[in-house]
């Protein structure tokens, strides 16, 4: 993933949920509780950070 802070492709790690993930999580809790774990395994729902500088990427 490209990091704007390092200006290069950096390895990333995931930490917590991004806005989409939080929204999906809330919706699932309200309407489909058995599936509320889904945002935690879907990659596009997770917040990515640069491994070198910790800059948040999306
Ligand atoms: Zn970086």
């Amino acid at each position: 993933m490209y990091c704007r802070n390092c200006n290069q492709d950096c390895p990333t790690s995931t930490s917590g949920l991004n806005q989409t993930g939080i929204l999906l999580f809330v919706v699932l809790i309200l309407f489909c509780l058995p599936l509320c774990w889904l945002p935690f395994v879907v990659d596009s729902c997770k917040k990515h950070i640069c491994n070198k500088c910790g800059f948040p990427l999306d």
Side-chain angles (χ1 to χ4, degrees):
M1 219 172 210
Y2 188 78
C3 175
R4 279 166 291 160
N5 201 37
C6 303
N7 286 317
Q8 58 180 294
D9 270 316
C10 295
T12 62
S13 56
T14 53
S15 76
L17 299 174
N18 62 18
Q19 276 189 322
T20 312
I22 292 168
L23 196 73
L24 188 62
F25 183 59
V26 171
V27 169
L28 287 171
I29 279 199
L30 292 175
F31 299 105
C32 198
L33 196 59
L35 293 177
C36 70
W37 49 268
L38 213 60
F40 294 97
V41 295
V42 177
D43 210 43
S44 59
C45 290
K46 287 188 271 190
K47 206 186 300 177
H48 290 260
I49 56 166
C50 172
N51 266 356
K52 287 184 184 172
C53 66
F55 193 76
L57 312 168
D58 43 30

